[in-house]
Amino acid sequence: MDLVGDLLARDRRSRDAALVTPDGRERTHHDLITNGYKAANVLRYLGVRAGATVAVDPTPGFHTTLAFLGAAAVGAPVRFDPEAGIEAGDRVVLAPVATAAALDPAPGTNIAAFGGAPDRPDTTHWEQELWSENPGTPPSDVDPADTAIVGPGREFSHRELCSTATAAVEAVEMDAETRVVLRRPFSDLPAVAAGLVASLSVDGTAVLAPPSDGREADDGDGESRGDVAVAPADTNVPEPRRVDPATLASTAE
């Protein structure tokens, strides 16, 4: 796999769990892929094309995951920093409704809000557009060398993210029966590759836990639970294996 958008291939759709959001709700691979197409088409409706950056709230969740995958499918880099996206004049900024209400967009920047209906008429209601959008496959012409994520200080190409994901898969032998728990915000780019892209690439399950904000969660006895932890599907916390995303990212370059 050389492109993040390959995660949305139609032949990957199944009724197996793909994503568990912080509220405990499961989404199947069929749900994720179908709604990923919808997210891509909503972004296109808002003016996103290949190379146009989309700023997305970094909190792991269903809608932020869809925005990331949808943007990747149409070749639009993602910046996991809505406020920076406003300053940079990104084409679309997606944020929770309360955050979006306080944003002052630059000319040409569209604001989309999730988590409720926005008060401002110039703000797009993300969920409303998503549910009504066509689930057809969005057109794309993306190269592995194209930027997938704009991070603080550097950019990450599709090839780099996929290489880190592959390294994570090989390091802990992920497969379709694996649950990978991500306890970092999406702004931690190696963790996104190892904890989200890697698990989805093998048809496993990505479990989005509340981010640890730089402090590794523990199991109550002071033992670290890991920012990216891996376990068979029938294993409870604490997960038996850990992934060091930063190390994987450096070896994958």
Side-chain angles (χ1 to χ4, degrees), residues 51-93:
T53 306
V54 178
V56 178
D57 184 82
T59 305
F62 183 55
H63 292 295
T64 51
T65 299
L66 291 182
F68 169 49
L69 296 177
V74 299
V78 168
R79 186 195 317 276
F80 286 111
D81 187 342
E83 292 188 4
I86 288 291
E87 295 172 2
D90 292 342
R91 192 70 182 92
V92 172
V93 174

Short mmCIF file of all heavy atoms in Angstrom, two decimals, residues 51-93:
data_model
loop_
_atom_site.label_atom_id
_atom_site.label_comp_id
_atom_site.label_asym_id
_atom_site.label_seq_id
_atom_site.Cartn_x
_atom_site.Cartn_y
_atom_site.Cartn_z
N GLY A 51 -4.07 18.91 -3.60
CA GLY A 51 -3.14 19.95 -3.20
C GLY A 51 -3.72 21.01 -2.29
O GLY A 51 -2.97 21.76 -1.66
N ALA A 52 -5.05 21.10 -2.18
CA ALA A 52 -5.69 22.08 -1.30
C ALA A 52 -5.74 21.51 0.11
O ALA A 52 -6.28 20.42 0.33
CB ALA A 52 -7.10 22.41 -1.79
N THR A 53 -5.19 22.21 1.07
CA THR A 53 -5.06 21.67 2.42
C THR A 53 -6.36 21.78 3.21
O THR A 53 -7.10 22.76 3.11
CB THR A 53 -3.94 22.40 3.18
OG1 THR A 53 -2.74 22.35 2.39
CG2 THR A 53 -3.67 21.77 4.53
N VAL A 54 -6.61 20.72 4.01
CA VAL A 54 -7.78 20.67 4.90
C VAL A 54 -7.26 20.63 6.34
O VAL A 54 -6.45 19.77 6.69
CB VAL A 54 -8.63 19.42 4.61
CG1 VAL A 54 -9.81 19.34 5.58
CG2 VAL A 54 -9.12 19.42 3.17
N ALA A 55 -7.70 21.56 7.16
CA ALA A 55 -7.32 21.58 8.58
C ALA A 55 -8.40 20.86 9.38
O ALA A 55 -9.58 21.15 9.25
CB ALA A 55 -7.15 23.01 9.07
N VAL A 56 -7.98 19.92 10.23
CA VAL A 56 -8.91 19.06 10.96
C VAL A 56 -8.55 19.06 12.44
O VAL A 56 -7.37 19.02 12.81
CB VAL A 56 -8.86 17.61 10.40
CG1 VAL A 56 -9.79 16.69 11.19
CG2 VAL A 56 -9.22 17.59 8.92
N ASP A 57 -9.57 19.08 13.28
CA ASP A 57 -9.36 18.98 14.71
C ASP A 57 -8.57 17.69 15.02
O ASP A 57 -8.86 16.64 14.46
CB ASP A 57 -10.70 18.94 15.44
CG ASP A 57 -10.55 18.93 16.95
OD1 ASP A 57 -10.36 20.01 17.53
OD2 ASP A 57 -10.61 17.82 17.52
N PRO A 58 -7.56 17.75 15.92
CA PRO A 58 -6.70 16.59 16.15
C PRO A 58 -7.27 15.53 17.08
O PRO A 58 -6.65 14.48 17.28
CB PRO A 58 -5.44 17.21 16.76
CG PRO A 58 -5.95 18.41 17.50
CD PRO A 58 -7.07 18.94 16.65
N THR A 59 -8.44 15.79 17.68
CA THR A 59 -9.01 14.82 18.62
C THR A 59 -9.48 13.58 17.87
O THR A 59 -10.31 13.67 16.96
CB THR A 59 -10.20 15.43 19.38
OG1 THR A 59 -9.79 16.64 20.00
CG2 THR A 59 -10.71 14.47 20.44
N PRO A 60 -8.97 12.39 18.22
CA PRO A 60 -9.40 11.17 17.53
C PRO A 60 -10.90 10.94 17.66
O PRO A 60 -11.46 11.04 18.76
CB PRO A 60 -8.61 10.06 18.24
CG PRO A 60 -7.41 10.75 18.81
CD PRO A 60 -7.92 12.11 19.21
N GLY A 61 -11.55 10.65 16.56
CA GLY A 61 -12.99 10.42 16.57
C GLY A 61 -13.45 9.98 15.20
O GLY A 61 -12.66 9.92 14.24
N PHE A 62 -14.73 9.68 15.07
CA PHE A 62 -15.27 9.20 13.81
C PHE A 62 -15.16 10.24 12.71
O PHE A 62 -14.67 9.97 11.61
CB PHE A 62 -16.72 8.78 14.01
CG PHE A 62 -17.38 8.20 12.79
CD1 PHE A 62 -16.83 7.12 12.12
CD2 PHE A 62 -18.57 8.74 12.31
CE1 PHE A 62 -17.45 6.58 11.00
CE2 PHE A 62 -19.20 8.20 11.19
CZ PHE A 62 -18.63 7.12 10.54
N HIS A 63 -15.59 11.47 12.99
CA HIS A 63 -15.62 12.49 11.95
C HIS A 63 -14.23 12.99 11.58
O HIS A 63 -13.98 13.30 10.41
CB HIS A 63 -16.54 13.63 12.37
CG HIS A 63 -17.99 13.23 12.42
ND1 HIS A 63 -18.70 12.87 11.31
CD2 HIS A 63 -18.84 13.10 13.48
CE1 HIS A 63 -19.93 12.54 11.65
NE2 HIS A 63 -20.04 12.66 12.96
N THR A 64 -13.33 13.06 12.54
CA THR A 64 -11.97 13.47 12.20
C THR A 64 -11.26 12.38 11.40
O THR A 64 -10.46 12.68 10.50
CB THR A 64 -11.18 13.84 13.47
OG1 THR A 64 -11.27 12.78 14.43
CG2 THR A 64 -11.73 15.11 14.09
N THR A 65 -11.57 11.12 11.69
CA THR A 65 -11.02 10.02 10.89
C THR A 65 -11.56 10.08 9.47
O THR A 65 -10.80 9.93 8.49
CB THR A 65 -11.37 8.66 11.52
OG1 THR A 65 -10.80 8.58 12.83
CG2 THR A 65 -10.84 7.52 10.67
N LEU A 66 -12.86 10.30 9.32
CA LEU A 66 -13.45 10.39 7.98
C LEU A 66 -12.84 11.55 7.19
O LEU A 66 -12.57 11.40 5.99
CB LEU A 66 -14.96 10.59 8.09
CG LEU A 66 -15.80 9.42 8.61
CD1 LEU A 66 -17.27 9.80 8.60
CD2 LEU A 66 -15.56 8.16 7.79
N ALA A 67 -12.65 12.68 7.83
CA ALA A 67 -12.08 13.83 7.13
C ALA A 67 -10.66 13.52 6.64
O ALA A 67 -10.28 13.88 5.51
CB ALA A 67 -12.07 15.05 8.04
N PHE A 68 -9.87 12.85 7.48
CA PHE A 68 -8.51 12.47 7.10
C PHE A 68 -8.53 11.52 5.90
O PHE A 68 -7.83 11.75 4.90
CB PHE A 68 -7.83 11.82 8.30
CG PHE A 68 -6.53 11.13 8.00
CD1 PHE A 68 -5.53 11.77 7.27
CD2 PHE A 68 -6.29 9.84 8.46
CE1 PHE A 68 -4.32 11.14 7.00
CE2 PHE A 68 -5.08 9.21 8.20
CZ PHE A 68 -4.10 9.85 7.46
N LEU A 69 -9.35 10.48 5.96
CA LEU A 69 -9.40 9.52 4.87
C LEU A 69 -10.00 10.12 3.60
O LEU A 69 -9.53 9.86 2.49
CB LEU A 69 -10.20 8.29 5.30
CG LEU A 69 -9.62 7.47 6.46
CD1 LEU A 69 -10.56 6.32 6.82
CD2 LEU A 69 -8.23 6.95 6.13
N GLY A 70 -11.04 10.93 3.77
CA GLY A 70 -11.65 11.57 2.61
C GLY A 70 -10.72 12.53 1.91
O GLY A 70 -10.65 12.57 0.68
N ALA A 71 -9.98 13.31 2.69
CA ALA A 71 -9.01 14.23 2.10
C ALA A 71 -7.91 13.46 1.37
O ALA A 71 -7.50 13.83 0.27
CB ALA A 71 -8.41 15.12 3.19
N ALA A 72 -7.44 12.37 1.99
CA ALA A 72 -6.40 11.56 1.36
C ALA A 72 -6.87 11.00 0.03
O ALA A 72 -6.10 10.92 -0.94
CB ALA A 72 -5.99 10.43 2.29
N ALA A 73 -8.15 10.62 -0.04
CA ALA A 73 -8.69 10.03 -1.25
C ALA A 73 -8.69 11.00 -2.43
O ALA A 73 -8.57 10.57 -3.58
CB ALA A 73 -10.11 9.51 -1.00
N VAL A 74 -8.82 12.29 -2.16
CA VAL A 74 -8.84 13.28 -3.25
C VAL A 74 -7.51 13.99 -3.39
O VAL A 74 -7.39 14.94 -4.17
CB VAL A 74 -9.99 14.31 -3.06
CG1 VAL A 74 -11.33 13.62 -3.07
CG2 VAL A 74 -9.81 15.10 -1.77
N GLY A 75 -6.50 13.56 -2.63
CA GLY A 75 -5.17 14.15 -2.76
C GLY A 75 -4.98 15.46 -2.04
O GLY A 75 -4.10 16.25 -2.40
N ALA A 76 -5.79 15.70 -1.00
CA ALA A 76 -5.68 16.95 -0.24
C ALA A 76 -4.91 16.70 1.06
O ALA A 76 -5.33 15.86 1.86
CB ALA A 76 -7.07 17.50 0.08
N PRO A 77 -3.82 17.39 1.30
CA PRO A 77 -3.10 17.23 2.57
C PRO A 77 -3.95 17.68 3.74
O PRO A 77 -4.79 18.58 3.62
CB PRO A 77 -1.88 18.15 2.40
CG PRO A 77 -1.76 18.39 0.94
CD PRO A 77 -3.15 18.34 0.40
N VAL A 78 -3.74 17.04 4.89
CA VAL A 78 -4.46 17.39 6.11
C VAL A 78 -3.51 18.02 7.11
O VAL A 78 -2.36 17.58 7.27
CB VAL A 78 -5.12 16.14 6.74
CG1 VAL A 78 -5.62 16.42 8.15
CG2 VAL A 78 -6.27 15.66 5.87
N ARG A 79 -3.99 19.08 7.76
CA ARG A 79 -3.26 19.72 8.86
C ARG A 79 -4.12 19.53 10.11
O ARG A 79 -5.24 20.01 10.18
CB ARG A 79 -3.08 21.22 8.57
CG ARG A 79 -2.22 21.97 9.58
CD ARG A 79 -2.38 23.48 9.45
NE ARG A 79 -2.40 23.97 8.08
CZ ARG A 79 -1.32 24.23 7.36
NH1 ARG A 79 -0.13 24.05 7.88
NH2 ARG A 79 -1.43 24.68 6.12
N PHE A 80 -3.58 18.81 11.11
CA PHE A 80 -4.36 18.56 12.31
C PHE A 80 -4.21 19.72 13.30
O PHE A 80 -3.73 19.56 14.42
CB PHE A 80 -3.94 17.23 12.95
CG PHE A 80 -4.43 16.03 12.19
CD1 PHE A 80 -3.54 15.22 11.50
CD2 PHE A 80 -5.78 15.72 12.14
CE1 PHE A 80 -3.99 14.11 10.80
CE2 PHE A 80 -6.24 14.63 11.43
CZ PHE A 80 -5.33 13.82 10.75
N ASP A 81 -4.65 20.88 12.85
CA ASP A 81 -4.56 22.10 13.66
C ASP A 81 -5.49 23.14 13.05
O ASP A 81 -5.09 23.89 12.15
CB ASP A 81 -3.12 22.60 13.68
CG ASP A 81 -2.91 23.76 14.65
OD1 ASP A 81 -3.90 24.40 15.04
OD2 ASP A 81 -1.74 24.04 15.01
N PRO A 82 -6.75 23.23 13.50
CA PRO A 82 -7.70 24.16 12.89
C PRO A 82 -7.27 25.62 12.95
O PRO A 82 -7.45 26.35 11.98
CB PRO A 82 -8.99 23.93 13.70
CG PRO A 82 -8.86 22.56 14.24
CD PRO A 82 -7.40 22.37 14.51
N GLU A 83 -6.70 26.05 14.08
CA GLU A 83 -6.29 27.44 14.18
C GLU A 83 -5.17 27.77 13.21
O GLU A 83 -5.17 28.84 12.59
CB GLU A 83 -5.89 27.76 15.62
CG GLU A 83 -7.07 27.72 16.59
CD GLU A 83 -6.70 28.23 17.97
OE1 GLU A 83 -5.56 28.67 18.15
OE2 GLU A 83 -7.57 28.16 18.86
N ALA A 84 -4.22 26.86 13.06
CA ALA A 84 -3.16 27.08 12.07
C ALA A 84 -3.73 27.07 10.67
O ALA A 84 -3.25 27.78 9.79
CB ALA A 84 -2.08 26.01 12.22
N GLY A 85 -4.77 26.26 10.47
CA GLY A 85 -5.41 26.23 9.16
C GLY A 85 -6.06 27.55 8.80
O GLY A 85 -6.05 27.97 7.64
N ILE A 86 -6.61 28.23 9.80
CA ILE A 86 -7.17 29.57 9.57
C ILE A 86 -6.07 30.54 9.17
O ILE A 86 -6.18 31.30 8.21
CB ILE A 86 -7.89 30.07 10.84
CG1 ILE A 86 -9.19 29.30 11.05
CG2 ILE A 86 -8.16 31.56 10.77
CD1 ILE A 86 -10.26 29.60 10.03
N GLU A 87 -4.97 30.49 9.90
CA GLU A 87 -3.86 31.41 9.62
C GLU A 87 -3.25 31.14 8.25
O GLU A 87 -2.81 32.05 7.55
CB GLU A 87 -2.80 31.28 10.71
CG GLU A 87 -3.29 31.71 12.09
CD GLU A 87 -2.29 31.40 13.19
OE1 GLU A 87 -1.20 30.89 12.86
OE2 GLU A 87 -2.61 31.66 14.36
N ALA A 88 -3.20 29.86 7.86
CA ALA A 88 -2.59 29.50 6.59
C ALA A 88 -3.55 29.65 5.41
O ALA A 88 -3.13 29.52 4.26
CB ALA A 88 -2.09 28.05 6.66
N GLY A 89 -4.82 29.89 5.71
CA GLY A 89 -5.79 30.03 4.64
C GLY A 89 -6.12 28.72 3.96
O GLY A 89 -6.35 28.67 2.76
N ASP A 90 -6.15 27.62 4.74
CA ASP A 90 -6.50 26.32 4.17
C ASP A 90 -7.91 26.35 3.60
O ASP A 90 -8.76 27.14 4.03
CB ASP A 90 -6.37 25.23 5.23
CG ASP A 90 -4.92 24.99 5.64
OD1 ASP A 90 -4.02 25.41 4.89
OD2 ASP A 90 -4.69 24.40 6.70
N ARG A 91 -8.18 25.46 2.64
CA ARG A 91 -9.45 25.52 1.91
C ARG A 91 -10.64 25.22 2.81
O ARG A 91 -11.69 25.85 2.71
CB ARG A 91 -9.42 24.53 0.74
CG ARG A 91 -10.58 24.74 -0.22
CD ARG A 91 -10.39 26.04 -0.97
NE ARG A 91 -11.49 26.34 -1.88
CZ ARG A 91 -12.55 27.07 -1.56
NH1 ARG A 91 -12.67 27.57 -0.34
NH2 ARG A 91 -13.47 27.32 -2.45
N VAL A 92 -10.49 24.22 3.69
CA VAL A 92 -11.55 23.86 4.63
C VAL A 92 -10.94 23.66 6.00
O VAL A 92 -9.85 23.11 6.14
CB VAL A 92 -12.27 22.56 4.19
CG1 VAL A 92 -13.23 22.08 5.27
CG2 VAL A 92 -13.03 22.78 2.88
N VAL A 93 -11.66 24.12 7.02
CA VAL A 93 -11.28 23.88 8.41
C VAL A 93 -12.45 23.16 9.06
O VAL A 93 -13.58 23.65 9.06
CB VAL A 93 -10.97 25.19 9.15
CG1 VAL A 93 -10.73 24.92 10.63
CG2 VAL A 93 -9.77 25.88 8.53
#
